[in-house]
């Protein structure tokens, strides 16, 4: 995790440099700073910095994995990676609700009346899917 954190923090520094360069470059015209691209680049910097900080912070609290050892073999990283749900319909519900919500931005805010309940049902089902049914005790 330590190496991934370094990669994301390095990417954050690069994106910050590009955001500043882009802002100064577009400011040289008569129209002023191009707001959409500059904002997107600064937000990309923030996201890379958040992920890099999280990975670097977490790497200090957990054991180092095979990815942090330059002498490691591929087989050293074998084994159980974590718990994954065997099957779930909840992401589909969240995707449909999210698509309707984003279409509400385009076609009208009234579409949120149908999308918010679908999102809430999907979110509630995803959180509590292992409290009922055949996968109850996993």
């Amino acid at each position: 995790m330590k190496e991934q954190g370094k990669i994301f923090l390095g990417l954050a520094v690069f994106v910050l440099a590009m955001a500043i360069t882009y802002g100064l470059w577009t400011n040289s015209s008569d129209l002023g700073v191009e707001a959409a691209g500059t904002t997107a680049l600064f937000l990309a910097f923030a996201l890379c910095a958040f992920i890099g900080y999280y990975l670097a912070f977490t790497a200090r609290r957990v054991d180092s994995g095979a990815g942090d050892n330059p002498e490691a073999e591929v087989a050293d990283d074998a084994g159980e990676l974590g718990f994954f749900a065997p099957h779930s319909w909840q992401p589909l519900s969240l995707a449909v609700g999210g698509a309707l919500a984003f279409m509400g931005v385009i076609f009208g805010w009234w579409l949120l009346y149908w999308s918010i309940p679908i999102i809430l049902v999907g979110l509630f089902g995803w959180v509590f899917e292992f409290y009922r049914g055949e996968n109850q005790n996993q």
Side-chain angles (χ1 to χ4, degrees):
M1 275 191 168
K2 185 185 281 187
E3 294 300 319
Q4 290 94 341
K6 288 179 183 177
I7 289 170
F8 270 100
L9 289 174
L11 183 63
V13 170
F14 172 74
V15 172
L16 178 63
M18 290 300 105
I20 292 170
T21 303
Y22 185 79
L24 292 174
W25 193 350
T26 59
N27 194 24
S28 63
S29 67
D30 295 335
L31 301 174
V33 176
E34 197 271 319
T38 307
T39 303
L41 284 169
F42 277 111
L43 288 175
F45 156 72
L47 289 174
C48 289
F50 287 155
I51 294 171
Y53 174 76
Y54 170 76
L55 290 172
F57 180 76
T58 306
R60 284 187 235 143
R61 296 188 295 149
V62 298
D63 295 335
S64 63
D68 293 327
N69 183 5
E71 302 294 323
E73 299 290 328
V74 174
D76 293 340
D77 213 11
E80 187 175 327
L81 297 176
F83 173 74
F84 301 98
H87 58 277
S88 178
W89 287 94
Q90 309 310 323
L92 180 63
S93 173
L94 287 172
V96 169
L100 282 174
F102 283 112
M103 284 184 357
V105 174
I106 298 169
F107 297 114
W109 294 103
W110 56 269
L111 203 51
L112 290 176
Y113 290 123
W114 283 281
S115 64
I116 289 177
I118 295 172
I119 291 172
L120 291 177
V121 166
L123 188 61
F124 183 81
W126 207 355
V127 169
F128 294 110
E129 71 182 332
F130 294 108
Y131 290 94
R132 60 183 169 77
E134 64 185 40
N135 299 318
Q136 180 173 335
N137 296 321
Q138 288 192 4

